[in-house]
Amino acid sequence: NATLHFQEAFWRPLYFLSFRGLYALFGENPIGYHVAVLLVPLAGLRAIPPPPPRLTGGNGEGGFWALVFGVYPLGYESVAWVSSLNSAGFTLALGSWLAFAHAVRESRRRRRRTLLHISAVLLLVLSLGYRENALSVVPVMATWYFCDAGLKRIREPAAWRPLAPLVGVCAVYIFVRTPLPFSSPPPPARCDVV
């Protein structure tokens, strides 16, 4: 999709642009696409901060399973189907959650906490560029956050503050993707056959 319209059913600009880049690099050679399907989630894992020791028990098991997930994100189809390049969206959404988990537990260093919150938001934005269902990670993050912080805090308005930027990203994404009654429909897709 060359036009990348917001209102289309599958608005995945990074996903479509990734294929353009891969075509420029590898042409029609399928090996390059399959290698990319393996490397993109690994690159996403590299961008993700490691899980807090309290989440994993500090024994390295979480890092091991993150590596397994990065190499083999959704089973054998991910390697077999080139279109599973959009699995990178889930890896980036997971990274958003882990950055958020670090941020809400960082109590001493305000600058580090702010950088982790910004990382969480940016990773969520990137994940939405690959896959729209990355939105589903935000309610999971909120549930984890309130279970971890104590459900009694759910009634405190200040307790919702760390989630506000992530919810804001979701709201903007949904608003931008939703066709409005007065908006013009996107032009029909072109299929240039040579």
Side-chain angles (χ1 to χ4, degrees):
N1 181 355
T3 55
L4 303 175
H5 282 281
F6 287 110
Q7 286 88 9
E8 293 186 16
F10 292 102
W11 186 69
R12 299 174 176 176
L14 292 178
Y15 174 66
F16 292 122
L17 291 173
S18 295
F19 279 116
R20 282 188 169 185
L22 289 172
Y23 185 78
L25 289 172
F26 303 110
E28 296 182 12
N29 183 351
I31 298 298
Y33 295 89
H34 292 291
V35 169
V37 166
L38 286 172
L39 292 181
V40 167
L42 283 176
L45 280 176
R46 183 66 186 116
I48 296 171
R54 188 170 157 211
L55 277 178
T56 63
N59 60 8
E61 185 178 343
F64 169 76
W65 287 111
L67 181 64
V68 169
F69 175 80
V71 173
Y72 221 63
L74 296 174
Y76 68 90
E77 290 97 359
S78 296
V79 178
W81 294 99
V82 172
S83 65
S84 69
L85 186 62
N86 63 12
S87 299
F90 185 71
T91 305
L92 293 167
L94 175 63
S96 177
W97 183 359
L98 290 174
F100 177 77
H102 277 290
V104 296
R105 291 191 170 169
E106 181 66 53
S107 59
R108 294 182 307 272
R109 296 178 289 186
R110 181 184 172 130
R111 181 173 180 198
R112 178 169 163 71
R113 186 174 59 236
T114 302
L115 288 174
L116 286 166
H117 275 296
I118 291 169
S119 297
V121 169
L122 291 177
L123 286 167
L124 180 63
V125 168
L126 287 173
S127 70
L128 289 170
Y130 276 100
R131 200 164 182 143
E132 62 280 348
N133 63 0
L135 288 172
S136 63
V137 78
V138 176
V140 174
M141 289 163 74
T143 302
W144 168 83
Y145 170 65
F146 283 112
C147 286
D148 187 58
L151 288 176
K152 61 183 177 248
R153 292 200 59 211
I154 203 166
R155 293 189 177 148
E156 299 172 20
W160 290 85
R161 196 172 304 132
L163 292 165
L166 300 166
V167 172
V169 166
C170 293
V172 167
Y173 182 82
I174 290 168
F175 177 76
V176 167
R177 274 200 75 225
T178 305
L180 301 173
F182 52 84
S183 65
S184 60
R190 290 181 37 215
C191 181
D192 297 329
V193 179
V194 180

